[in-house]
Amino acid sequence: MTASTVTINQTTEFDLEQLNQQFETATPKEILAWSIENIPTGLVQTSAFNVDDLVITHILYSELQHPVPVIFLDTLYHFPQTLELVAKAKEIYNLDLQTYKTPDVDSREAFVAKYGEGLWDKDIAQFHQVTKIEPLQRGLDELNTIAWITGRRRDQAVTRANMPIFELDGKGRLKVNPLANWTRKDSWDYVAEHGVIYNPLHDQGYPSIGDEPITTKVGEGEDERAGRWRGSNKTECGIHI
């Protein structure tokens, strides 16, 4: 066993270094096909229903015709357009949609009653802990996840520039980033070619869409994730750290 060899699900060994070399120039479809073949159970997609996430869903559900559970974190603070898109995607693809949210709250009013007004302004780390990090880990556990697929790309932010295609998360699960070597243009070219649905906010100055209270439009020449947590030094919500 080499230093980069990992055992997934106590039975299957993968050499991450070798895999990353092998798939560095592969297409997302090839990376996802490998994942399906080698992880026949316990493979899930996590999706915020940004354009890159929907590209992956389209490849899985339409091209490879291999539905996998899709975890969506309902923070209760999504834009209405995002929730409408989730419903539309569920209908079009007949998604195996698995929605997770903060325990014991089912509305913004209930969230405020429990955590106070504007938690994202008072304690952004706690806001993400209760709306994203805990629900995601609970979802991954409940779905017996061995590997999870993300929509991250290296060109989205400097913090993602060296992101591998295959990596491990903090609990030893395999994390697959099939769009790692794609650009924003690649994703939009795919959308145009295959008629993939997307959030109309993308056409209104929001290249990356998160929670409504903490997502702003992005100006010309700005990093595409500059509209997330504007005015702070935060670059990630915490689920990918």
Side-chain angles (χ1 to χ4, degrees), residues 41-63:
T41 60
L43 181 66
V44 306
Q45 180 191 1
T46 57
S47 178
F49 289 79
N50 275 291
V51 63
D52 303 295
D53 299 318
L54 283 160
V55 165
I56 291 171
T57 297
H58 188 86
I59 294 172
L60 286 168
Y61 276 74
S62 293
E63 290 201 68

mmCIF file with all atom_site columns, all heavy atoms in Angstrom, residues 41-63:
data_model
loop_
_atom_site.group_PDB
_atom_site.id
_atom_site.type_symbol
_atom_site.label_atom_id
_atom_site.label_alt_id
_atom_site.label_comp_id
_atom_site.label_asym_id
_atom_site.label_entity_id
_atom_site.label_seq_id
_atom_site.pdbx_PDB_ins_code
_atom_site.Cartn_x
_atom_site.Cartn_y
_atom_site.Cartn_z
_atom_site.occupancy
_atom_site.B_iso_or_equiv
_atom_site.pdbx_formal_charge
_atom_site.auth_seq_id
_atom_site.auth_comp_id
_atom_site.auth_asym_id
_atom_site.auth_atom_id
_atom_site.pdbx_PDB_model_num
ATOM 1   N N   . THR A 1 41 ? -22.608 1.399  -5.124  1.00 0.00 ? 41 THR A N   1
ATOM 2   C CA  . THR A 1 41 ? -23.534 1.822  -4.069  1.00 0.00 ? 41 THR A CA  1
ATOM 3   C C   . THR A 1 41 ? -22.838 2.871  -3.214  1.00 0.00 ? 41 THR A C   1
ATOM 4   O O   . THR A 1 41 ? -21.608 2.888  -3.098  1.00 0.00 ? 41 THR A O   1
ATOM 5   C CB  . THR A 1 41 ? -23.969 0.651  -3.178  1.00 0.00 ? 41 THR A CB  1
ATOM 6   O OG1 . THR A 1 41 ? -22.798 0.083  -2.564  1.00 0.00 ? 41 THR A OG1 1
ATOM 7   C CG2 . THR A 1 41 ? -24.679 -0.417 -3.991  1.00 0.00 ? 41 THR A CG2 1
ATOM 8   N N   . GLY A 1 42 ? -23.621 3.736  -2.625  1.00 0.00 ? 42 GLY A N   1
ATOM 9   C CA  . GLY A 1 42 ? -23.049 4.745  -1.742  1.00 0.00 ? 42 GLY A CA  1
ATOM 10  C C   . GLY A 1 42 ? -22.508 5.969  -2.458  1.00 0.00 ? 42 GLY A C   1
ATOM 11  O O   . GLY A 1 42 ? -21.773 6.759  -1.870  1.00 0.00 ? 42 GLY A O   1
ATOM 12  N N   . LEU A 1 43 ? -22.885 6.146  -3.724  1.00 0.00 ? 43 LEU A N   1
ATOM 13  C CA  . LEU A 1 43 ? -22.466 7.321  -4.490  1.00 0.00 ? 43 LEU A CA  1
ATOM 14  C C   . LEU A 1 43 ? -23.605 8.330  -4.490  1.00 0.00 ? 43 LEU A C   1
ATOM 15  O O   . LEU A 1 43 ? -24.739 7.995  -4.845  1.00 0.00 ? 43 LEU A O   1
ATOM 16  C CB  . LEU A 1 43 ? -22.122 6.923  -5.920  1.00 0.00 ? 43 LEU A CB  1
ATOM 17  C CG  . LEU A 1 43 ? -21.634 8.028  -6.864  1.00 0.00 ? 43 LEU A CG  1
ATOM 18  C CD1 . LEU A 1 43 ? -20.282 8.569  -6.411  1.00 0.00 ? 43 LEU A CD1 1
ATOM 19  C CD2 . LEU A 1 43 ? -21.540 7.501  -8.305  1.00 0.00 ? 43 LEU A CD2 1
ATOM 20  N N   . VAL A 1 44 ? -23.326 9.582  -4.085  1.00 0.00 ? 44 VAL A N   1
ATOM 21  C CA  . VAL A 1 44 ? -24.351 10.621 -4.064  1.00 0.00 ? 44 VAL A CA  1
ATOM 22  C C   . VAL A 1 44 ? -23.791 11.902 -4.678  1.00 0.00 ? 44 VAL A C   1
ATOM 23  O O   . VAL A 1 44 ? -22.573 12.081 -4.759  1.00 0.00 ? 44 VAL A O   1
ATOM 24  C CB  . VAL A 1 44 ? -24.859 10.916 -2.630  1.00 0.00 ? 44 VAL A CB  1
ATOM 25  C CG1 . VAL A 1 44 ? -25.331 9.658  -1.938  1.00 0.00 ? 44 VAL A CG1 1
ATOM 26  C CG2 . VAL A 1 44 ? -23.792 11.619 -1.808  1.00 0.00 ? 44 VAL A CG2 1
ATOM 27  N N   . GLN A 1 45 ? -24.686 12.773 -5.098  1.00 0.00 ? 45 GLN A N   1
ATOM 28  C CA  . GLN A 1 45 ? -24.306 14.109 -5.541  1.00 0.00 ? 45 GLN A CA  1
ATOM 29  C C   . GLN A 1 45 ? -24.813 15.122 -4.530  1.00 0.00 ? 45 GLN A C   1
ATOM 30  O O   . GLN A 1 45 ? -25.941 15.021 -4.057  1.00 0.00 ? 45 GLN A O   1
ATOM 31  C CB  . GLN A 1 45 ? -24.901 14.447 -6.913  1.00 0.00 ? 45 GLN A CB  1
ATOM 32  C CG  . GLN A 1 45 ? -24.506 15.846 -7.401  1.00 0.00 ? 45 GLN A CG  1
ATOM 33  C CD  . GLN A 1 45 ? -25.287 16.326 -8.624  1.00 0.00 ? 45 GLN A CD  1
ATOM 34  O OE1 . GLN A 1 45 ? -26.164 15.637 -9.126  1.00 0.00 ? 45 GLN A OE1 1
ATOM 35  N NE2 . GLN A 1 45 ? -24.967 17.520 -9.084  1.00 0.00 ? 45 GLN A NE2 1
ATOM 36  N N   . THR A 1 46 ? -23.974 16.092 -4.192  1.00 0.00 ? 46 THR A N   1
ATOM 37  C CA  . THR A 1 46 ? -24.439 17.230 -3.406  1.00 0.00 ? 46 THR A CA  1
ATOM 38  C C   . THR A 1 46 ? -24.643 18.398 -4.362  1.00 0.00 ? 46 THR A C   1
ATOM 39  O O   . THR A 1 46 ? -23.804 18.651 -5.220  1.00 0.00 ? 46 THR A O   1
ATOM 40  C CB  . THR A 1 46 ? -23.432 17.611 -2.314  1.00 0.00 ? 46 THR A CB  1
ATOM 41  O OG1 . THR A 1 46 ? -22.165 17.894 -2.908  1.00 0.00 ? 46 THR A OG1 1
ATOM 42  C CG2 . THR A 1 46 ? -23.278 16.475 -1.314  1.00 0.00 ? 46 THR A CG2 1
ATOM 43  N N   . SER A 1 47 ? -25.754 19.101 -4.214  1.00 0.00 ? 47 SER A N   1
ATOM 44  C CA  . SER A 1 47 ? -26.090 20.122 -5.199  1.00 0.00 ? 47 SER A CA  1
ATOM 45  C C   . SER A 1 47 ? -26.721 21.344 -4.557  1.00 0.00 ? 47 SER A C   1
ATOM 46  O O   . SER A 1 47 ? -27.640 21.235 -3.745  1.00 0.00 ? 47 SER A O   1
ATOM 47  C CB  . SER A 1 47 ? -27.064 19.548 -6.233  1.00 0.00 ? 47 SER A CB  1
ATOM 48  O OG  . SER A 1 47 ? -27.444 20.532 -7.168  1.00 0.00 ? 47 SER A OG  1
ATOM 49  N N   . ALA A 1 48 ? -26.207 22.515 -4.935  1.00 0.00 ? 48 ALA A N   1
ATOM 50  C CA  . ALA A 1 48 ? -26.851 23.782 -4.586  1.00 0.00 ? 48 ALA A CA  1
ATOM 51  C C   . ALA A 1 48 ? -27.645 24.302 -5.774  1.00 0.00 ? 48 ALA A C   1
ATOM 52  O O   . ALA A 1 48 ? -28.175 25.411 -5.743  1.00 0.00 ? 48 ALA A O   1
ATOM 53  C CB  . ALA A 1 48 ? -25.800 24.810 -4.170  1.00 0.00 ? 48 ALA A CB  1
ATOM 54  N N   . PHE A 1 49 ? -27.693 23.493 -6.851  1.00 0.00 ? 49 PHE A N   1
ATOM 55  C CA  . PHE A 1 49 ? -28.427 23.816 -8.069  1.00 0.00 ? 49 PHE A CA  1
ATOM 56  C C   . PHE A 1 49 ? -27.881 25.060 -8.754  1.00 0.00 ? 49 PHE A C   1
ATOM 57  O O   . PHE A 1 49 ? -28.613 25.785 -9.414  1.00 0.00 ? 49 PHE A O   1
ATOM 58  C CB  . PHE A 1 49 ? -29.936 23.885 -7.813  1.00 0.00 ? 49 PHE A CB  1
ATOM 59  C CG  . PHE A 1 49 ? -30.526 22.518 -7.563  1.00 0.00 ? 49 PHE A CG  1
ATOM 60  C CD1 . PHE A 1 49 ? -30.401 21.899 -6.316  1.00 0.00 ? 49 PHE A CD1 1
ATOM 61  C CD2 . PHE A 1 49 ? -31.143 21.823 -8.574  1.00 0.00 ? 49 PHE A CD2 1
ATOM 62  C CE1 . PHE A 1 49 ? -30.900 20.626 -6.084  1.00 0.00 ? 49 PHE A CE1 1
ATOM 63  C CE2 . PHE A 1 49 ? -31.651 20.545 -8.360  1.00 0.00 ? 49 PHE A CE2 1
ATOM 64  C CZ  . PHE A 1 49 ? -31.530 19.950 -7.118  1.00 0.00 ? 49 PHE A CZ  1
ATOM 65  N N   . ASN A 1 50 ? -26.573 25.294 -8.585  1.00 0.00 ? 50 ASN A N   1
ATOM 66  C CA  . ASN A 1 50 ? -25.874 26.224 -9.446  1.00 0.00 ? 50 ASN A CA  1
ATOM 67  C C   . ASN A 1 50 ? -25.663 25.540 -10.796 1.00 0.00 ? 50 ASN A C   1
ATOM 68  O O   . ASN A 1 50 ? -25.894 24.333 -10.951 1.00 0.00 ? 50 ASN A O   1
ATOM 69  C CB  . ASN A 1 50 ? -24.539 26.635 -8.820  1.00 0.00 ? 50 ASN A CB  1
ATOM 70  C CG  . ASN A 1 50 ? -24.697 27.785 -7.832  1.00 0.00 ? 50 ASN A CG  1
ATOM 71  O OD1 . ASN A 1 50 ? -24.981 28.907 -8.228  1.00 0.00 ? 50 ASN A OD1 1
ATOM 72  N ND2 . ASN A 1 50 ? -24.520 27.501 -6.545  1.00 0.00 ? 50 ASN A ND2 1
ATOM 73  N N   . VAL A 1 51 ? -25.200 26.287 -11.776 1.00 0.00 ? 51 VAL A N   1
ATOM 74  C CA  . VAL A 1 51 ? -25.121 25.752 -13.126 1.00 0.00 ? 51 VAL A CA  1
ATOM 75  C C   . VAL A 1 51 ? -24.224 24.518 -13.204 1.00 0.00 ? 51 VAL A C   1
ATOM 76  O O   . VAL A 1 51 ? -24.538 23.548 -13.904 1.00 0.00 ? 51 VAL A O   1
ATOM 77  C CB  . VAL A 1 51 ? -24.670 26.845 -14.130 1.00 0.00 ? 51 VAL A CB  1
ATOM 78  C CG1 . VAL A 1 51 ? -23.267 27.347 -13.815 1.00 0.00 ? 51 VAL A CG1 1
ATOM 79  C CG2 . VAL A 1 51 ? -24.756 26.336 -15.567 1.00 0.00 ? 51 VAL A CG2 1
ATOM 80  N N   . ASP A 1 52 ? -23.111 24.520 -12.490 1.00 0.00 ? 52 ASP A N   1
ATOM 81  C CA  . ASP A 1 52 ? -22.200 23.385 -12.539 1.00 0.00 ? 52 ASP A CA  1
ATOM 82  C C   . ASP A 1 52 ? -22.845 22.130 -11.956 1.00 0.00 ? 52 ASP A C   1
ATOM 83  O O   . ASP A 1 52 ? -22.651 21.022 -12.467 1.00 0.00 ? 52 ASP A O   1
ATOM 84  C CB  . ASP A 1 52 ? -20.911 23.717 -11.786 1.00 0.00 ? 52 ASP A CB  1
ATOM 85  C CG  . ASP A 1 52 ? -20.226 24.954 -12.335 1.00 0.00 ? 52 ASP A CG  1
ATOM 86  O OD1 . ASP A 1 52 ? -19.788 24.917 -13.492 1.00 0.00 ? 52 ASP A OD1 1
ATOM 87  O OD2 . ASP A 1 52 ? -20.158 25.968 -11.617 1.00 0.00 ? 52 ASP A OD2 1
ATOM 88  N N   . ASP A 1 53 ? -23.615 22.294 -10.878 1.00 0.00 ? 53 ASP A N   1
ATOM 89  C CA  . ASP A 1 53 ? -24.310 21.154 -10.285 1.00 0.00 ? 53 ASP A CA  1
ATOM 90  C C   . ASP A 1 53 ? -25.291 20.538 -11.276 1.00 0.00 ? 53 ASP A C   1
ATOM 91  O O   . ASP A 1 53 ? -25.415 19.307 -11.371 1.00 0.00 ? 53 ASP A O   1
ATOM 92  C CB  . ASP A 1 53 ? -25.068 21.597 -9.036  1.00 0.00 ? 53 ASP A CB  1
ATOM 93  C CG  . ASP A 1 53 ? -24.161 22.151 -7.958  1.00 0.00 ? 53 ASP A CG  1
ATOM 94  O OD1 . ASP A 1 53 ? -23.080 21.572 -7.731  1.00 0.00 ? 53 ASP A OD1 1
ATOM 95  O OD2 . ASP A 1 53 ? -24.528 23.164 -7.340  1.00 0.00 ? 53 ASP A OD2 1
ATOM 96  N N   . LEU A 1 54 ? -25.983 21.387 -12.018 1.00 0.00 ? 54 LEU A N   1
ATOM 97  C CA  . LEU A 1 54 ? -26.973 20.871 -12.964 1.00 0.00 ? 54 LEU A CA  1
ATOM 98  C C   . LEU A 1 54 ? -26.326 20.222 -14.179 1.00 0.00 ? 54 LEU A C   1
ATOM 99  O O   . LEU A 1 54 ? -26.891 19.299 -14.770 1.00 0.00 ? 54 LEU A O   1
ATOM 100 C CB  . LEU A 1 54 ? -27.932 21.992 -13.374 1.00 0.00 ? 54 LEU A CB  1
ATOM 101 C CG  . LEU A 1 54 ? -28.976 22.280 -12.292 1.00 0.00 ? 54 LEU A CG  1
ATOM 102 C CD1 . LEU A 1 54 ? -29.581 23.649 -12.456 1.00 0.00 ? 54 LEU A CD1 1
ATOM 103 C CD2 . LEU A 1 54 ? -30.061 21.204 -12.294 1.00 0.00 ? 54 LEU A CD2 1
ATOM 104 N N   . VAL A 1 55 ? -25.138 20.677 -14.546 1.00 0.00 ? 55 VAL A N   1
ATOM 105 C CA  . VAL A 1 55 ? -24.383 19.992 -15.598 1.00 0.00 ? 55 VAL A CA  1
ATOM 106 C C   . VAL A 1 55 ? -24.101 18.555 -15.166 1.00 0.00 ? 55 VAL A C   1
ATOM 107 O O   . VAL A 1 55 ? -24.301 17.596 -15.933 1.00 0.00 ? 55 VAL A O   1
ATOM 108 C CB  . VAL A 1 55 ? -23.068 20.731 -15.898 1.00 0.00 ? 55 VAL A CB  1
ATOM 109 C CG1 . VAL A 1 55 ? -22.108 19.851 -16.700 1.00 0.00 ? 55 VAL A CG1 1
ATOM 110 C CG2 . VAL A 1 55 ? -23.343 22.022 -16.662 1.00 0.00 ? 55 VAL A CG2 1
ATOM 111 N N   . ILE A 1 56 ? -23.664 18.380 -13.932 1.00 0.00 ? 56 ILE A N   1
ATOM 112 C CA  . ILE A 1 56 ? -23.373 17.042 -13.415 1.00 0.00 ? 56 ILE A CA  1
ATOM 113 C C   . ILE A 1 56 ? -24.633 16.193 -13.363 1.00 0.00 ? 56 ILE A C   1
ATOM 114 O O   . ILE A 1 56 ? -24.637 15.026 -13.770 1.00 0.00 ? 56 ILE A O   1
ATOM 115 C CB  . ILE A 1 56 ? -22.720 17.145 -12.024 1.00 0.00 ? 56 ILE A CB  1
ATOM 116 C CG1 . ILE A 1 56 ? -21.316 17.743 -12.153 1.00 0.00 ? 56 ILE A CG1 1
ATOM 117 C CG2 . ILE A 1 56 ? -22.653 15.775 -11.347 1.00 0.00 ? 56 ILE A CG2 1
ATOM 118 C CD1 . ILE A 1 56 ? -20.663 18.088 -10.829 1.00 0.00 ? 56 ILE A CD1 1
ATOM 119 N N   . THR A 1 57 ? -25.719 16.772 -12.861 1.00 0.00 ? 57 THR A N   1
ATOM 120 C CA  . THR A 1 57 ? -26.982 16.036 -12.800 1.00 0.00 ? 57 THR A CA  1
ATOM 121 C C   . THR A 1 57 ? -27.413 15.580 -14.190 1.00 0.00 ? 57 THR A C   1
ATOM 122 O O   . THR A 1 57 ? -27.871 14.444 -14.383 1.00 0.00 ? 57 THR A O   1
ATOM 123 C CB  . THR A 1 57 ? -28.084 16.910 -12.170 1.00 0.00 ? 57 THR A CB  1
ATOM 124 O OG1 . THR A 1 57 ? -27.723 17.208 -10.823 1.00 0.00 ? 57 THR A OG1 1
ATOM 125 C CG2 . THR A 1 57 ? -29.423 16.187 -12.173 1.00 0.00 ? 57 THR A CG2 1
ATOM 126 N N   . HIS A 1 58 ? -27.259 16.459 -15.178 1.00 0.00 ? 58 HIS A N   1
ATOM 127 C CA  . HIS A 1 58 ? -27.651 16.099 -16.543 1.00 0.00 ? 58 HIS A CA  1
ATOM 128 C C   . HIS A 1 58 ? -26.796 14.943 -17.070 1.00 0.00 ? 58 HIS A C   1
ATOM 129 O O   . HIS A 1 58 ? -27.324 14.020 -17.709 1.00 0.00 ? 58 HIS A O   1
ATOM 130 C CB  . HIS A 1 58 ? -27.525 17.304 -17.469 1.00 0.00 ? 58 HIS A CB  1
ATOM 131 C CG  . HIS A 1 58 ? -28.080 17.064 -18.837 1.00 0.00 ? 58 HIS A CG  1
ATOM 132 N ND1 . HIS A 1 58 ? -29.416 17.243 -19.146 1.00 0.00 ? 58 HIS A ND1 1
ATOM 133 C CD2 . HIS A 1 58 ? -27.493 16.623 -19.975 1.00 0.00 ? 58 HIS A CD2 1
ATOM 134 C CE1 . HIS A 1 58 ? -29.619 16.931 -20.411 1.00 0.00 ? 58 HIS A CE1 1
ATOM 135 N NE2 . HIS A 1 58 ? -28.461 16.556 -20.941 1.00 0.00 ? 58 HIS A NE2 1
ATOM 136 N N   . ILE A 1 59 ? -25.509 14.977 -16.802 1.00 0.00 ? 59 ILE A N   1
ATOM 137 C CA  . ILE A 1 59 ? -24.632 13.879 -17.245 1.00 0.00 ? 59 ILE A CA  1
ATOM 138 C C   . ILE A 1 59 ? -25.046 12.571 -16.578 1.00 0.00 ? 59 ILE A C   1
ATOM 139 O O   . ILE A 1 59 ? -25.167 11.529 -17.231 1.00 0.00 ? 59 ILE A O   1
ATOM 140 C CB  . ILE A 1 59 ? -23.160 14.205 -16.935 1.00 0.00 ? 59 ILE A CB  1
ATOM 141 C CG1 . ILE A 1 59 ? -22.680 15.399 -17.761 1.00 0.00 ? 59 ILE A CG1 1
ATOM 142 C CG2 . ILE A 1 59 ? -22.271 12.988 -17.232 1.00 0.00 ? 59 ILE A CG2 1
ATOM 143 C CD1 . ILE A 1 59 ? -21.304 15.906 -17.381 1.00 0.00 ? 59 ILE A CD1 1
ATOM 144 N N   . LEU A 1 60 ? -25.287 12.617 -15.272 1.00 0.00 ? 60 LEU A N   1
ATOM 145 C CA  . LEU A 1 60 ? -25.650 11.410 -14.536 1.00 0.00 ? 60 LEU A CA  1
ATOM 146 C C   . LEU A 1 60 ? -27.000 10.857 -14.982 1.00 0.00 ? 60 LEU A C   1
ATOM 147 O O   . LEU A 1 60 ? -27.136 9.661  -15.274 1.00 0.00 ? 60 LEU A O   1
ATOM 148 C CB  . LEU A 1 60 ? -25.692 11.703 -13.030 1.00 0.00 ? 60 LEU A CB  1
ATOM 149 C CG  . LEU A 1 60 ? -24.358 11.881 -12.317 1.00 0.00 ? 60 LEU A CG  1
ATOM 150 C CD1 . LEU A 1 60 ? -24.593 12.443 -10.911 1.00 0.00 ? 60 LEU A CD1 1
ATOM 151 C CD2 . LEU A 1 60 ? -23.590 10.572 -12.247 1.00 0.00 ? 60 LEU A CD2 1
ATOM 152 N N   . TYR A 1 61 ? -27.993 11.730 -15.021 1.00 0.00 ? 61 TYR A N   1
ATOM 153 C CA  . TYR A 1 61 ? -29.366 11.275 -15.239 1.00 0.00 ? 61 TYR A CA  1
ATOM 154 C C   . TYR A 1 61 ? -29.717 11.097 -16.715 1.00 0.00 ? 61 TYR A C   1
ATOM 155 O O   . TYR A 1 61 ? -30.528 10.227 -17.052 1.00 0.00 ? 61 TYR A O   1
ATOM 156 C CB  . TYR A 1 61 ? -30.347 12.249 -14.584 1.00 0.00 ? 61 TYR A CB  1
ATOM 157 C CG  . TYR A 1 61 ? -30.584 11.996 -13.114 1.00 0.00 ? 61 TYR A CG  1
ATOM 158 C CD1 . TYR A 1 61 ? -29.627 12.326 -12.167 1.00 0.00 ? 61 TYR A CD1 1
ATOM 159 C CD2 . TYR A 1 61 ? -31.762 11.413 -12.666 1.00 0.00 ? 61 TYR A CD2 1
ATOM 160 C CE1 . TYR A 1 61 ? -29.840 12.104 -10.806 1.00 0.00 ? 61 TYR A CE1 1
ATOM 161 C CE2 . TYR A 1 61 ? -31.990 11.180 -11.308 1.00 0.00 ? 61 TYR A CE2 1
ATOM 162 C CZ  . TYR A 1 61 ? -31.017 11.520 -10.396 1.00 0.00 ? 61 TYR A CZ  1
ATOM 163 O OH  . TYR A 1 61 ? -31.230 11.285 -9.056  1.00 0.00 ? 61 TYR A OH  1
ATOM 164 N N   . SER A 1 62 ? -29.143 11.908 -17.599 1.00 0.00 ? 62 SER A N   1
ATOM 165 C CA  . SER A 1 62 ? -29.528 11.852 -19.012 1.00 0.00 ? 62 SER A CA  1
ATOM 166 C C   . SER A 1 62 ? -28.506 11.128 -19.879 1.00 0.00 ? 62 SER A C   1
ATOM 167 O O   . SER A 1 62 ? -28.877 10.278 -20.691 1.00 0.00 ? 62 SER A O   1
ATOM 168 C CB  . SER A 1 62 ? -29.751 13.270 -19.561 1.00 0.00 ? 62 SER A CB  1
ATOM 169 O OG  . SER A 1 62 ? -30.870 13.870 -18.956 1.00 0.00 ? 62 SER A OG  1
ATOM 170 N N   . GLU A 1 63 ? -27.229 11.446 -19.716 1.00 0.00 ? 63 GLU A N   1
ATOM 171 C CA  . GLU A 1 63 ? -26.217 10.817 -20.561 1.00 0.00 ? 63 GLU A CA  1
ATOM 172 C C   . GLU A 1 63 ? -25.864 9.421  -20.078 1.00 0.00 ? 63 GLU A C   1
ATOM 173 O O   . GLU A 1 63 ? -25.860 8.462  -20.856 1.00 0.00 ? 63 GLU A O   1
ATOM 174 C CB  . GLU A 1 63 ? -24.971 11.700 -20.622 1.00 0.00 ? 63 GLU A CB  1
ATOM 175 C CG  . GLU A 1 63 ? -25.148 12.980 -21.405 1.00 0.00 ? 63 GLU A CG  1
ATOM 176 C CD  . GLU A 1 63 ? -23.814 13.544 -21.868 1.00 0.00 ? 63 GLU A CD  1
ATOM 177 O OE1 . GLU A 1 63 ? -23.172 12.904 -22.726 1.00 0.00 ? 63 GLU A OE1 1
ATOM 178 O OE2 . GLU A 1 63 ? -23.422 14.609 -21.360 1.00 0.00 ? 63 GLU A OE2 1
#
